[in-house]
Amino acid sequence: MLLTLAKLYIGSSELKQAKHYAEQAYQLSKTKNKQQKQIIALEHLTTVAEKQTDYQQAFLYQKTITELEKGFARNNYNQRLAELQNSIAMRDRDLAIQDLKLQDNEKSQAIASQRQTILYSILIFSLLLAVMGIALLRVRQRKQLIEQRRNYLDKQISQRSKLLSQVAHELSGPLTGLRLHLETLQAGLTQFNELTYEKLNQKITDMATLVSDLNKISLLEQNSFQLNLTKINAAEYFQSLHADMIIQLDKFEVGFTQNITDELTLECDATRLSQLFANLISNSIKYTQQPGKINFTISQNQTRLLICYEDSAPGVSDESLAKIFDHLYRVPDLKTVKQSGSGIGLAIVKQIVEAHNWRIMAAHSELGGVRYDLTIPI
């Protein structure tokens, strides 16, 4: 404002007032170290001195202006130089930061590449381990399969040897009796009559029956044995079977309970199934004390058909119960039995059940005899 007043008074030729305000502006600018304002104030003072024809004072003012301008230029140069240096420093810093970023990116890429290499290595190693594991598992499974086959063959060989031994033992009885009868006839110790004929015929009949039963088992055990599977109505089949049981078991009290749906169908070999129950019935006729009792129960659940066949006394021991389905096995403690069996019937039952992939179990019956539980998937 002082500079403006000084300029106004210079324009109105009031030089004294103009000089006064210009000096005040100069002193104030000098106090505040404002070189540009000082220069303007001195220019006003130079103008006043020239108009007052005080050229010496105007020269001094001009000289001071020149020194101030030099200082201002120097300060401005230093300021710009400092700004330039700051700019260069900031540029260098930015370049350094960019270099660091580039180095960080390169390091990150190197680390990522190393990680990828490590992951690939781990993946390849895992695949190798998996392949080796699968190979070892297959080798172990193959060993187990070979071991199972060997155990199966050993079991089959053992069973065959046992069966041959049992067959030889079973045949030796009637053969020995037949040979003794023939030797006594040759020696003249006995005469050939009707009684001798019946004894010889009975021995031959026993051997023929045994051979026939063995042939049945042989047919069932052959690999070429095929079931003739058909679908039958279960309810109708078991009702018909019950009617046949009443005829065959005329001296038995036959209990029959059937709790299955009328629409239930059963896929099986009907002829073999009839043979299975015929053997069970025949076994009851041979070994059950008469008058006896038979309970025949058929039921079902969501997944299985359950058949229970049980007869009355006499029962069998736990040891005999475990062997009751073995070939040629006969319970040794049934002393009251009038008819002797060959030990083939229940073995045939077991073979028919296994051929159908069913399951049969023998247990003690509450009636005093044996209970057979047959389970058929539906």
Side-chain angles (χ1 to χ4, degrees):
M1 187 179 68
L2 291 173
L3 292 173
T4 303
L5 289 173
K7 187 175 181 180
L8 290 174
Y9 280 115
I10 290 172
S12 61
S13 299
E14 294 182 9
L15 300 177
K16 186 177 180 180
Q17 291 294 333
K19 183 177 180 181
H20 173 72
Y21 286 118
E23 287 178 347
Q24 286 185 355
Y26 174 74
Q27 293 298 328
L28 184 60
S29 300
K30 189 175 181 180
T31 303
K32 295 184 178 182
N33 197 23
K34 294 183 178 181
Q35 293 181 350
Q36 188 69 25
K37 300 294 184 179
Q38 291 179 38
I39 291 171
I40 295 173
L42 288 172
E43 288 178 347
H44 290 335
L45 289 172
T46 300
T47 303
V48 170
E50 289 177 347
K51 287 185 176 185
Q52 291 177 350
T53 65
D54 189 356
Y55 296 109
Q56 185 177 0
Q57 189 65 38
F59 175 76
L60 292 174
Y61 286 146
Q62 190 64 42
K63 184 178 179 181
T64 303
I65 290 171
T66 302
E67 290 177 356
L68 286 173
E69 286 180 346
K70 287 181 180 179
F72 180 76
R74 188 181 302 109
N75 291 335
N76 191 31
Y77 171 77
N78 291 333
Q79 183 178 0
R80 289 187 177 183
L81 181 62
E83 290 177 355
L84 182 60
Q85 289 176 347
N86 290 333
S87 177
I88 293 172
M90 292 179 65
R91 181 64 179 173
D92 292 339
R93 187 185 64 182
D94 292 340
L95 290 174
I97 291 173
Q98 289 180 0
D99 289 338
L100 290 175
K101 288 182 177 180
L102 288 174
Q103 292 177 3
D104 289 340
N105 289 333
E106 291 176 354
K107 289 181 180 179
S108 299
Q109 290 177 357
I111 293 172
S113 179
Q114 290 178 355
R115 287 180 178 176
Q116 190 173 14
T117 303
I118 293 172
L119 288 174
Y120 284 150
S121 300
I122 292 173
L123 179 60
I124 293 173
F125 183 69
S126 301
L127 288 174
L128 289 175
L129 286 179
V131 171
M132 292 177 63
I134 293 172
L136 290 175
L137 181 62
R138 288 184 176 179
V139 170
R140 182 177 297 177
Q141 289 176 345
R142 186 172 296 178
K143 286 183 178 179
Q144 291 178 350
L145 182 60
I146 292 173
E147 185 69 20
Q148 290 174 356
R149 288 179 178 177
R150 187 177 67 183
N151 292 336
Y152 175 77
L153 290 175
D154 291 342
K155 184 179 179 180
Q156 290 295 316
I157 292 172
S158 175
Q159 289 179 349
R160 294 295 179 184
S161 298
K162 183 179 178 181
L163 180 60
L164 289 174
S165 176
Q166 291 173 336
V167 169
H169 175 73
E170 293 296 326
L171 289 175
S172 64
L175 283 174
T176 301
L178 183 60
R179 181 172 58 83
L180 290 175
H181 278 85
L182 291 175
E183 288 177 353
T184 55
L185 285 173
Q186 288 178 347
L189 298 176
T190 58
Q191 294 182 355
F192 186 79
N193 51 30
E194 188 68 24
L195 180 60
T196 305
Y197 171 79
E198 290 180 359
K199 289 181 179 181
L200 293 174
N201 185 59
Q202 183 62 45
K203 298 296 181 182
I204 295 172
T205 301
D206 290 343
M207 286 191 295
T209 302
L210 180 60
V211 170
S212 176
D213 289 339
L214 289 171
N215 184 53
K216 293 177 182 178
I217 288 186
S218 175
L219 290 175
L220 288 172
E221 290 184 338
Q222 286 178 3
N223 293 330
S224 60
F225 174 72
Q226 297 291 332
L227 295 175
N228 183 20
L229 297 178
T230 58
K231 289 186 178 181
I232 62 174
N233 183 280
E236 294 178 358
Y237 175 83
F238 289 117
Q239 289 172 0
S240 176
L241 178 63
H242 174 235
D244 293 338
M245 289 174 63
I246 293 176
I247 296 173
Q248 297 179 62
L249 300 167
D250 56 339
K251 296 182 180 180
F252 288 80
E253 178 186 346
V254 179
F256 178 71
T257 303
Q258 179 170 284
N259 185 18
I260 59 176
T261 60
D262 294 336
E263 299 81 11
L264 178 62
T265 58
L266 183 62
E267 187 175 11
C268 65
D269 188 327
T271 301
R272 297 297 180 184
L273 185 60
S274 297
Q275 183 182 4
L276 182 153
F277 288 112
N279 285 358
L280 291 180
I281 295 169
S282 175
N283 203 62
S284 296
I285 293 174
K286 289 179 181 178
Y287 296 108
T288 303
Q289 296 174 358
Q290 299 180 13
K293 184 175 181 180
I294 304 291
N295 273 350
F296 190 45
T297 305
I298 302 98
S299 61
Q300 73 176 98
N301 56 27
Q302 293 181 349
T303 59
R304 294 175 296 175
L305 180 66
L306 307 174
I307 302 171
C308 176
Y309 179 95
E310 56 183 337
D311 53 24
S312 55
V316 299
S317 65
D318 292 338
E319 181 182 359
S320 296
L321 197 64
K323 300 177 181 179
I324 202 167
F325 293 111
D326 291 350
H327 298 157
L328 302 175
Y329 180 77
R330 289 179 294 183
V331 179
D333 51 357
L334 293 181
K335 300 179 181 179
T336 60
V337 176
K338 296 181 180 180
Q339 302 182 52
S340 62
S342 61
I344 300 296
L346 292 181
I348 293 176
V349 168
K350 183 74 170 179
Q351 293 292 339
I352 294 174
V353 169
E354 290 181 347
H356 283 84
N357 292 322
W358 298 342
R359 187 165 62 99
I360 190 168
M361 301 289 292
H364 297 292
S365 171
E366 294 181 357
L367 299 179
V370 181
R371 186 182 81 240
Y372 302 95
D373 293 314
L374 177 61
T375 304
I376 301 175
I378 56 175

